[in-house]
Amino acid sequence: MKEKVVLAYSGGLDTTTIIPWLKENFDYEVICCCVDCGQGNELDGLDERAKLSGASKLYIENIIDEFCDDYIMPCVQAGAVYEHKYLLGTSMARPVIAKKLVEIARKEGASAICHGATGKGNDQIRFELAIKALAPDLKIIAPWRMTDVWTLQSREDEIEYCKQHGIVLPFSADNSYSRDRNLWHISHEGLELEDPSNEPNYDHMLVLGVTPEKAPDEGEYVTMTFEAGVPKTLNGKEMKVSEIITELNKLGGKHGIGIVDIVENRVVGMKSRGVYETPGGTILMEAHQQLEELILDRDTLETKKKLGSQFAQVVYEGKWFTPLREALQAFVETTQKYVTGEVKFKLYKGNIIKAGTTSPYSLYNESLASFTTGDMYDHHDASGFITLFGLPLKVRAMKLAEANKNK
């Protein structure tokens, strides 16, 4: 009986080519697994394509709700943003995809998992760290790193390879962006983006929305409610998290929200440039932050910002299934207990403009914050506070003055 390998299958040219390559070079029975994280119509025709290419079976696993509830929301609650801009769309999806690949491998009795990530990117790390953490006994096959066996260097090479194996596929050799899409975002790399001095060709590139210049001239108000840090309603309608993100994607795309052009530092040591569209995610992150401003005390909020940055780096580096991620998430979860309330904002030409926030757990006290004198705040107390708070500065200045005098 042949050994089985589970291939992370997207239906694109790379992973389609890998099917006959695995059979020819390793004599594996190839079982394809496409994990649906919200790719939309990218899943059309996959079953026929996989079978045509020589796969014995194709699994299409819908994990959209698991992705939203167990991977996206912890990152939203943590305020996890990598290098100030990237909302981790691809990074969050890879561990849940790897988890599903392992489940299918166990179900099928496979001895290996294969992925089509390149040897220069982050995804190879994310997939393989997750697989090692969940199934250390499984072999991992990464064709793009096996340059002695994988000799294909271009789309033309891959198309010709498939033709030689009797597989005629609806792919062309024309240049296009390298994209990754799920419910949270879509990323774009390649073409003019490979030169940081070039302006992105947004008219050719954008998939989920429009630029702010092409957004409506009228703003649109949106209201959301949260319970314990989780979004519950959008414009008065109760929905699942996945449904809220779907609707926010439409609203954000319409108004030019969430387009980011970034040169980021990959884990493997190089810089790469990409454009990310995250319309719904950008709105959700901002709305959650808007509510937290009212509710979290100063020290907790400051600590949470620091740990949120660390959380983002852990996720970016593929370390989801680690004690550190679990510990950071445990801290974040304790901060979300009272993050309940309503957030209102206006979407207008790429901007998310506050329009009012309320919470039964708000720490904002109008009597304290106003310029009028209230019962809880005695202005005289500030004098003693400033004296003690500024004492180190005063002592240092006195000592420097004394040292200069003695020179």
Side-chain angles (χ1 to χ4, degrees):
M1 183 180 292
K2 291 184 177 181
E3 284 190 82
K4 295 180 180 179
V5 60
V6 173
L7 171 63
Y9 186 63
S10 68
L13 181 56
D14 288 347
T15 54
T16 300
T17 306
I18 287 172
I19 297 172
W21 180 85
L22 284 169
K23 296 177 69 176
E24 180 179 33
N25 290 280
F26 297 93
D27 196 30
Y28 276 124
E29 177 186 344
V30 181
I31 297 164
C32 289
C33 180
C34 177
V35 183
D36 182 6
C37 300
Q39 295 95 303
N41 59 12
E42 291 183 10
L43 304 181
D44 295 347
L46 286 197
D47 189 62
E48 180 182 359
R49 191 177 306 159
K51 300 287 179 61
L52 179 67
S53 305
S56 64
K57 191 181 296 185
L58 170 67
Y59 287 88
I60 297 180
E61 300 290 303
N62 185 324
I63 51 89
I64 292 174
D65 285 328
E66 181 182 359
F67 177 43
C68 291
D69 297 339
D70 299 339
Y71 294 81
I72 288 177
M73 283 314 303
C75 291
V76 171
Q77 292 173 345
V81 181
Y82 182 70
E83 295 188 341
H84 309 294
K85 289 184 178 181
Y86 174 42
L87 302 188
L88 301 173
T90 301
S91 311
M92 293 186 296
R94 294 313 186 224
V96 69
I97 292 172
K99 178 171 174 278
K100 185 56 64 175
L101 292 173
V102 169
E103 289 176 10
I104 298 301
R106 295 302 193 207
K107 180 179 178 180
E108 289 287 341
S111 59
I113 291 176
C114 178
H115 65 76
T118 72
K120 285 187 175 182
N122 294 315
D123 284 342
Q124 56 180 340
I125 300 168
R126 296 164 184 157
F127 280 132
E128 295 185 33
L129 290 190
I131 294 167
K132 289 176 187 297
L134 299 174
D137 57 302
L138 291 179
K139 290 183 287 187
I140 299 172
I141 300 174
W144 282 100
R145 297 204 304 262
M146 303 170 69
T147 53
D148 55 333
V149 186
W150 179 269
T151 58
L152 309 176
Q153 299 295 318
S154 65
R155 289 179 66 86
E156 290 88 350
D157 288 349
E158 291 178 314
I159 292 170
E160 182 59 31
Y161 180 85
C162 286
K163 285 181 180 178
Q164 290 173 3
H165 290 76
I167 304 166
V168 180
L169 296 169
F171 297 115
S172 65
D174 61 344
N175 289 325
S176 62
Y177 296 102
S178 173
R179 291 183 165 112
D180 176 74
R181 182 176 182 176
N182 56 47
L183 189 68
W184 185 249
H185 88 153
I186 185 167
S187 63
H188 312 267
E189 294 179 342
L191 299 187
E192 78 276 0
L193 299 180
E194 293 188 346
D195 183 349
S197 68
N198 289 334
E199 180 181 5
N201 184 358
Y202 288 119
D203 290 338
H204 180 223
M205 178 193 306
L206 297 181
V207 173
L208 301 181
V210 298
T211 59
E213 294 91 337
K214 294 187 176 181
D217 292 331
E218 295 294 325
E220 183 171 0
Y221 285 95
V222 178
T223 303
M224 295 179 65
T225 62
F226 288 79
E227 291 180 15
V230 179
K232 293 296 182 181
T233 69
L234 177 62
N235 291 332
K237 184 178 178 181
E238 189 170 344
M239 303 182 192
K240 298 187 298 184
V241 173
S242 60
E243 294 169 336
I244 288 175
I245 293 173
T246 299
E247 289 302 309
L248 288 177
N249 276 334
K250 296 175 184 176
L251 290 167
K254 173 183 174 183
H255 291 280
I257 306 293
I259 302 168
V260 169
D261 181 355
I262 180 176
V263 175
E264 70 193 62
N265 290 292
R266 286 183 179 174
V267 183
V268 293
M270 70 183 72
K271 290 184 181 289
S272 68
R273 193 233 190 143
V275 169
Y276 297 98
E277 293 180 73
T278 321
T282 300
I283 297 170
L284 181 54
M285 294 279 279
E286 178 65 27
H288 180 266
Q289 182 179 326
Q290 190 171 323
L291 190 57
E292 278 193 333
E293 288 177 359
L294 277 186
I295 295 159
L296 298 186
D297 64 275
R298 181 187 180 193
D299 287 344
T300 301
L301 188 60
E302 186 63 28
T303 301
K304 186 172 175 293
K305 285 180 180 178
K306 295 174 184 175
L307 293 184
S309 178
Q310 187 176 5
F311 195 99
Q313 185 161 339
V314 166
V315 176
Y316 187 84
E317 293 177 352
K319 299 175 181 175
W320 187 275
F321 298 108
T322 61
L324 177 57
R325 192 274 306 169
E326 293 174 0
L328 291 171
Q329 187 170 328
F331 168 81
V332 171
E333 287 173 354
T334 64
T335 69
Q336 299 302 293
K337 183 177 180 180
Y338 299 110
V339 182
T340 296
E342 182 178 278
V343 179
K344 186 178 181 181
F345 45 87
K346 181 169 67 174
L347 306 178
Y348 179 68
K349 290 192 176 296
N351 296 290
I352 305 169
I353 304 166
K354 284 185 181 181
T357 314
T358 59
S359 170
Y361 303 108
S362 171
L363 297 183
Y364 185 91
N365 186 299
E366 191 172 348
S367 174
L368 281 171
S370 69
F371 286 99
T372 58
T373 301
D375 295 336
M376 293 179 65
Y377 195 94
D378 187 333
H379 288 268
H380 296 94
D381 292 341
S383 298
F385 167 75
I386 294 170
T387 297
L388 296 179
F389 196 64
L391 188 59
L393 299 176
K394 184 175 181 178
V395 170
R396 180 176 183 274
M398 292 170 63
K399 288 294 184 181
L400 286 174
E402 181 179 341
N404 289 332
K405 183 178 178 180
N406 294 333
K407 279 184 179 180

